[in-house]
Short mmCIF file of all heavy atoms in Angstrom, two decimals:
data_model
loop_
_atom_site.label_atom_id
_atom_site.label_comp_id
_atom_site.label_asym_id
_atom_site.label_seq_id
_atom_site.Cartn_x
_atom_site.Cartn_y
_atom_site.Cartn_z
N VAL A 216 94.75 109.76 77.12
CA VAL A 216 93.68 108.95 76.56
C VAL A 216 93.37 109.40 75.13
O VAL A 216 93.76 110.48 74.70
CB VAL A 216 92.39 109.08 77.43
CG1 VAL A 216 92.62 108.44 78.80
CG2 VAL A 216 91.94 110.53 77.58
N SER A 217 92.66 108.55 74.44
CA SER A 217 92.36 108.83 73.02
C SER A 217 91.47 110.03 72.87
O SER A 217 91.52 110.74 71.84
CB SER A 217 91.72 107.60 72.38
OG SER A 217 90.55 107.20 73.12
N SER A 218 90.62 110.30 73.83
CA SER A 218 89.72 111.45 73.77
C SER A 218 89.22 111.77 75.19
O SER A 218 88.98 110.86 75.98
CB SER A 218 88.52 111.14 72.88
OG SER A 218 87.54 112.18 72.97
N THR A 219 89.09 113.06 75.47
CA THR A 219 88.52 113.47 76.75
C THR A 219 87.09 113.96 76.59
O THR A 219 86.51 114.53 77.50
CB THR A 219 89.37 114.58 77.39
OG1 THR A 219 89.48 115.68 76.48
CG2 THR A 219 90.75 114.07 77.75
N ALA A 220 86.50 113.70 75.42
CA ALA A 220 85.10 114.08 75.20
C ALA A 220 84.20 113.39 76.23
O ALA A 220 84.31 112.19 76.44
CB ALA A 220 84.66 113.71 73.78
N GLY A 221 83.38 114.16 76.87
CA GLY A 221 82.47 113.62 77.87
C GLY A 221 83.07 113.51 79.25
O GLY A 221 82.37 113.09 80.20
N LEU A 222 84.36 113.84 79.41
CA LEU A 222 85.02 113.80 80.71
C LEU A 222 85.22 115.20 81.25
O LEU A 222 85.56 116.14 80.49
CB LEU A 222 86.39 113.10 80.61
CG LEU A 222 86.36 111.64 80.16
CD1 LEU A 222 87.79 111.11 80.04
CD2 LEU A 222 85.55 110.78 81.12
N ARG A 223 85.01 115.37 82.54
CA ARG A 223 85.17 116.66 83.20
C ARG A 223 85.91 116.50 84.52
O ARG A 223 85.87 115.43 85.13
CB ARG A 223 83.80 117.32 83.44
CG ARG A 223 83.04 117.68 82.19
CD ARG A 223 81.68 118.31 82.52
NE ARG A 223 80.99 118.76 81.32
CZ ARG A 223 80.27 117.97 80.52
NH1 ARG A 223 80.16 116.67 80.81
NH2 ARG A 223 79.69 118.46 79.45
N VAL A 224 86.56 117.58 84.92
CA VAL A 224 87.20 117.59 86.24
C VAL A 224 86.11 117.33 87.30
O VAL A 224 85.04 117.91 87.27
CB VAL A 224 87.91 118.93 86.51
CG1 VAL A 224 88.39 119.02 87.95
CG2 VAL A 224 89.09 119.09 85.56
N GLY A 225 86.41 116.44 88.21
CA GLY A 225 85.46 116.05 89.25
C GLY A 225 84.72 114.75 88.96
O GLY A 225 84.10 114.20 89.85
N ASP A 226 84.79 114.27 87.71
CA ASP A 226 84.12 113.01 87.37
C ASP A 226 84.77 111.84 88.08
O ASP A 226 85.99 111.74 88.20
CB ASP A 226 84.21 112.76 85.86
CG ASP A 226 83.21 113.56 85.05
OD1 ASP A 226 82.29 114.16 85.66
OD2 ASP A 226 83.33 113.57 83.80
N GLU A 227 83.90 110.93 88.55
CA GLU A 227 84.38 109.66 89.06
C GLU A 227 84.52 108.70 87.85
O GLU A 227 83.60 108.56 87.06
CB GLU A 227 83.38 109.06 90.06
CG GLU A 227 83.22 109.89 91.33
CD GLU A 227 84.38 109.73 92.29
OE1 GLU A 227 85.10 108.70 92.19
OE2 GLU A 227 84.59 110.62 93.13
N VAL A 228 85.69 108.11 87.75
CA VAL A 228 85.98 107.24 86.60
C VAL A 228 86.58 105.93 87.07
O VAL A 228 87.10 105.83 88.19
CB VAL A 228 86.92 107.91 85.58
CG1 VAL A 228 86.28 109.15 84.98
CG2 VAL A 228 88.26 108.26 86.24
N VAL A 229 86.53 104.95 86.18
CA VAL A 229 87.25 103.71 86.35
C VAL A 229 88.41 103.69 85.36
O VAL A 229 88.23 103.99 84.17
CB VAL A 229 86.33 102.49 86.09
CG1 VAL A 229 87.15 101.21 85.90
CG2 VAL A 229 85.37 102.30 87.25
N VAL A 230 89.59 103.37 85.86
CA VAL A 230 90.72 103.03 84.98
C VAL A 230 90.78 101.51 84.99
O VAL A 230 91.15 100.86 85.96
CB VAL A 230 92.04 103.61 85.51
CG1 VAL A 230 93.18 103.26 84.56
CG2 VAL A 230 91.93 105.14 85.69
N GLU A 231 90.37 100.92 83.86
CA GLU A 231 90.24 99.46 83.78
C GLU A 231 91.45 98.88 83.05
O GLU A 231 91.78 99.28 81.95
CB GLU A 231 88.96 99.04 83.10
CG GLU A 231 88.82 97.52 83.02
CD GLU A 231 87.42 97.07 82.63
OE1 GLU A 231 86.55 97.94 82.42
OE2 GLU A 231 87.21 95.85 82.52
N ARG A 232 92.06 97.90 83.71
CA ARG A 232 93.22 97.21 83.16
C ARG A 232 92.88 95.75 82.97
O ARG A 232 92.96 94.94 83.89
CB ARG A 232 94.42 97.34 84.10
CG ARG A 232 95.70 96.69 83.61
CD ARG A 232 96.73 96.61 84.73
NE ARG A 232 97.99 96.09 84.26
CZ ARG A 232 98.27 94.80 84.08
NH1 ARG A 232 97.35 93.89 84.32
NH2 ARG A 232 99.47 94.43 83.67
N PRO A 233 92.47 95.35 81.73
CA PRO A 233 92.11 93.95 81.51
C PRO A 233 93.34 93.03 81.62
O PRO A 233 94.46 93.40 81.25
CB PRO A 233 91.58 93.95 80.07
CG PRO A 233 91.24 95.38 79.78
CD PRO A 233 92.23 96.19 80.55
N THR A 234 93.09 91.84 82.13
CA THR A 234 94.12 90.81 82.18
C THR A 234 94.16 90.05 80.84
O THR A 234 93.11 89.62 80.38
CB THR A 234 93.86 89.84 83.33
OG1 THR A 234 93.95 90.55 84.57
CG2 THR A 234 94.85 88.70 83.35
N THR A 235 95.34 89.92 80.29
CA THR A 235 95.50 89.21 79.03
C THR A 235 96.41 88.01 79.20
O THR A 235 97.22 87.95 80.13
CB THR A 235 96.10 90.14 77.97
OG1 THR A 235 97.45 90.49 78.38
CG2 THR A 235 95.27 91.40 77.79
N GLN A 236 96.32 87.09 78.26
CA GLN A 236 97.20 85.90 78.31
C GLN A 236 98.65 86.30 78.14
O GLN A 236 99.55 85.69 78.74
CB GLN A 236 96.78 84.89 77.26
CG GLN A 236 97.47 83.54 77.42
CD GLN A 236 97.11 82.86 78.72
OE1 GLN A 236 95.95 82.73 79.07
NE2 GLN A 236 98.12 82.41 79.46
N ALA A 237 98.89 87.35 77.36
CA ALA A 237 100.28 87.79 77.16
C ALA A 237 100.90 88.24 78.48
O ALA A 237 102.07 87.93 78.77
CB ALA A 237 100.31 88.94 76.14
N TRP A 238 100.14 88.98 79.28
CA TRP A 238 100.66 89.41 80.60
C TRP A 238 100.80 88.21 81.53
O TRP A 238 101.79 88.12 82.27
CB TRP A 238 99.74 90.47 81.18
CG TRP A 238 100.14 90.93 82.56
CD1 TRP A 238 101.23 91.67 82.87
CD2 TRP A 238 99.46 90.66 83.79
NE1 TRP A 238 101.27 91.90 84.23
CE2 TRP A 238 100.20 91.27 84.81
CE3 TRP A 238 98.29 89.97 84.11
CZ2 TRP A 238 99.81 91.22 86.16
CZ3 TRP A 238 97.90 89.90 85.45
CH2 TRP A 238 98.67 90.52 86.45
N ILE A 239 99.82 87.33 81.56
CA ILE A 239 99.89 86.14 82.39
C ILE A 239 101.16 85.35 82.08
O ILE A 239 101.89 84.92 83.00
CB ILE A 239 98.65 85.28 82.20
CG1 ILE A 239 97.41 85.97 82.80
CG2 ILE A 239 98.81 83.90 82.82
CD1 ILE A 239 96.11 85.31 82.48
#
Side-chain angles (χ1 to χ4, degrees):
V216 293
S217 55
S218 172
T219 57
L222 298 178
R223 294 179 176 82
V224 171
D226 281 349
E227 296 284 339
V228 296
V229 165
V230 181
E231 181 167 358
R232 181 192 185 279
T234 296
T235 65
Q236 191 62 51
W238 177 69
I239 290 171

